[in-house]
Amino acid sequence: MNDLIISDVRVVTPLGSMARKGAEMSELFILDHASVFVSDGIIAYVGKERIPDKPDCVQIDGRGCCLLPGFIDSHSHLVFGGLRAEEFSWRLQGDSYMSIMKRGGGIVNTVKSTRVSDFDSLLAKSMELVHRMSEMGVTTVEGKSGYGLDRETEIKQLEVMQEMNKTEDCPVEIVPTFLGAHAVPEEYKGRSEEYIDFLIREMLPEIRKKNLAECCDIFCEEGVFSIEQSRRLLMEAKDLGYRLKIHADEIVSLGGAELAAELHALSADHLLHASDTGIRRLADSGVIATLLPLTAFALKEPYARGREMIDAGCAVALATDLNPGSCFSGSIPLTIDLACIYMGLSIEETITALTLNGAAAVGRAEKLGSIEVGKQADLILLDYPDYHVLPYYIGMNCVNTTIKAGKIVKCKNNK
Ligand code: NIG
Ligand code: FE
């Protein structure tokens, strides 16, 4: 039944069922010596009353702990074959991400390994990754295809995510995104328009019909897919009922943020080189700016202008971008540090960005992302009573217990 009582805990949460924008991002609701009652996986009570003991109900003594909503990693590429450690070494010697991609490495390198990986090995590898993420307090993960770039492998990746959601042992919910437009595959070299035609004609309708993806994404970047190609694909996707995401302005300032606003996308992601106009349009349109500081760190690129975006009134979410190329990391602790230290976010804004705004970036703000009656009980207990420890304990995991839909899925010690 997933009934649970957490007593004498400090509740720390944003409030609401939509993304928090601008100054709202720093408003957290804090309640000391609180009790939380979870019935059938849903939060049924949050307040000061002591909940009477109930038989068959799991009890957690929250003394000395903070209770936060589970973290939502709203941008990841977690299903892939192989690794690309050699590319990381080349980058250490001065190579750039795009030059490696241009000479046939990068994404298409992982495409080769993913095409030859069987379903079960992809599943096992992805499960291992989400178990690690769950230890760091992640309860929901957005996962993208994009390492197949052909019908069979794109569907295989999405089916792996579907299978994960059906697996009892999976500690997170996966929100699947179709990223067939991640790169131009070798078979279509020099024919990117034809590849977009193929995606529109064959892939978008089939994946929608099979209900394998909720969102559609594209790598809109100089030398990959242009603004015009992105607009063409995403408008078709929108007509079919996909929610839209864009890898926008990651390497150069191409106008991806502006396009996301024009198309009312759910989110524009990366934004390292978003223009002033792009930032203003994101703020005006309410499109979520999903920032991925681990990628900037790993590529030694300048960080996205998170502080300026929030000051301009944007709703900012934070995510890991876990992938085998630009950022082989699912580290929430390091994401928090980089957001606070290098992007100028406050701790409160960082918490909102990883919870309620992350939920909004996967279209689930009504159900997830805050500790309120009626929301699903995706919760984390920190080892400390003070949430300020999150960035302070540099790169270290402060999460003691992770609860998914009222069920304890990870616990470091007996709480
Ligand atoms: O978000 N930039 C495009 N996609 C990923 C990297 C994928 C890869 O290198 O395998 C990103 O950074
Ligand atoms: Fe990405």
Side-chain angles (χ1 to χ4, degrees):
M1 280 295 278
N2 298 349
D3 286 2
L4 180 73
I5 296 171
I6 307 169
S7 54
D8 207 357
V9 76
R10 170 175 287 172
V11 168
V12 177
T13 181
L15 293 178
S17 51
M18 49 201 275
R20 309 287 287 167
K21 295 177 74 172
E24 296 167 355
M25 282 188 65
S26 56
E27 294 162 10
L28 294 182
F29 169 77
I30 298 175
L31 190 66
D32 282 327
H33 306 294
S35 309
V36 175
F37 176 52
V38 174
S39 174
D40 206 11
I42 304 293
I43 300 170
Y45 176 81
V46 185
K48 288 282 206 180
E49 302 281 312
R50 199 187 152 273
I51 317 257
D53 290 351
K54 293 189 193 328
D56 300 330
C57 191
V58 176
Q59 305 264 354
I60 296 179
D61 178 358
R63 259 175 307 173
C65 297
C66 267
L67 188 73
L68 270 64
F71 292 136
I72 296 180
D73 189 348
S74 59
H75 182 135
S76 91
H77 308 246
L78 85 158
V79 183
F80 57 85
L83 290 172
R84 287 170 19 219
E86 69 290 353
E87 292 184 7
F88 190 85
S89 312
W90 298 337
R91 289 206 303 271
L92 290 181
Q93 287 157 25
D95 241 331
S96 76
Y97 179 79
M98 284 315 272
S99 70
I100 294 170
M101 185 166 176
K102 278 186 190 127
R103 57 173 200 262
I107 293 166
V108 296
N109 187 347
T110 298
V111 168
K112 288 189 193 118
S113 340
T114 309
R115 286 183 180 177
V116 297
S117 297
D118 63 34
F119 184 92
D120 288 343
S121 65
L122 287 176
L123 180 64
K125 202 166 152 178
S126 312
M127 282 295 276
E128 193 187 320
L129 289 171
V130 295
H131 274 290
R132 286 192 163 195
M133 294 161 99
S134 169
E135 282 165 13
M136 293 180 275
V138 173
T139 47
T140 303
V141 179
E142 184 257 12
K144 301 175 195 295
S145 67
Y147 291 124
L149 313 184
D150 63 10
R151 183 185 167 277
E152 191 190 330
T153 319
E154 287 291 311
I155 288 180
K156 180 170 67 178
Q157 281 189 278
L158 293 168
E159 283 178 346
V160 164
M161 294 184 237
Q162 188 181 55
E163 185 61 29
M164 291 170 85
N165 279 333
K166 287 194 219 145
T167 306
E168 175 80 5
D169 176 41
C170 184
V172 300
E173 182 195 355
I174 316 276
V175 180
T177 293
F178 175 55
L179 178 56
H182 197 189
V184 180
E186 307 267 78
E187 311 84 272
Y188 281 87
K189 209 167 177 188
R191 297 188 294 133
S192 60
E193 284 296 335
E194 284 172 50
Y195 183 60
I196 294 281
D197 289 341
F198 158 74
L199 294 177
I200 290 175
R201 204 178 49 241
E202 296 188 31
M203 298 299 298
L204 284 180
E206 180 174 357
I207 286 166
R208 196 67 205 142
K209 205 157 132 220
K210 293 190 165 139
N211 210 7
L212 280 170
E214 293 180 27
C215 308
C216 179
D217 194 347
I218 186 164
F219 188 13
C220 175
E221 188 60 57
E222 193 173 77
V224 191
F225 296 107
S226 67
I227 289 284
E228 293 69 31
Q229 289 172 327
S230 305
R231 183 184 285 112
R232 193 155 76 83
L233 179 85
L234 292 174
M235 280 173 69
E236 294 283 346
K238 194 173 186 180
D239 282 349
L240 290 172
Y242 290 90
R243 289 169 147 158
L244 309 182
K245 289 180 166 285
I246 309 186
H247 279 69
D249 304 318
E250 178 180 355
I251 315 284
V252 301
S253 182
L254 209 66
E258 289 87 334
L259 180 65
E262 174 193 320
L263 299 178
H264 299 284
L266 200 49
S267 67
D269 300 34
H270 282 292
L271 302 170
L272 271 55
H273 301 277
S275 68
D276 291 344
T277 310
I279 292 175
R280 248 193 337 270
R281 300 248 167 98
L282 291 177
D284 292 345
S285 61
V287 172
I288 293 162
T290 299
L291 308 185
L292 311 162
L294 290 172
T295 309
F297 174 71
L299 295 181
K300 248 176 135 177
E301 291 284 334
Y303 292 88
R305 295 186 279 159
R307 177 74 268 137
E308 282 179 60
M309 290 177 192
I310 295 176
D311 291 343
C314 289
V316 166
L318 285 163
T320 64
D321 196 23
L322 168 66
N323 74 74
S326 63
C327 178
F328 187 44
S329 173
S331 175
I332 295 292
L334 192 53
T335 301
I336 292 172
D337 276 317
L338 299 177
C340 291
I341 300 171
Y342 291 110
M343 297 201 311
L345 271 63
S346 69
I347 306 173
E348 291 77 10
E349 289 165 340
T350 299
I351 290 174
T352 301
L354 274 170
T355 57
L356 188 54
N357 285 8
V362 294
R364 281 174 177 54
E366 286 181 10
K367 180 180 166 196
L368 306 174
S370 66
I371 305 178
E372 290 175 88
V373 170
K375 286 221 178 175
Q376 184 168 294
D378 289 8
L379 306 166
I380 56 179
L381 269 178
L382 303 188
D383 277 320
Y384 302 87
D386 183 359
Y387 64 87
H388 292 85
V389 77
L390 278 169
Y392 165 60
Y393 200 9
I394 305 277
M396 299 298 277
N397 184 18
C398 304
V399 175
N400 181 291
T401 305
T402 307
I403 297 161
K404 178 71 191 169
K407 190 173 140 208
I408 297 174
V409 289
K410 290 283 178 279
C411 185
K412 278 203 301 212
N413 60 33
N414 286 337
K415 270 281 142 207

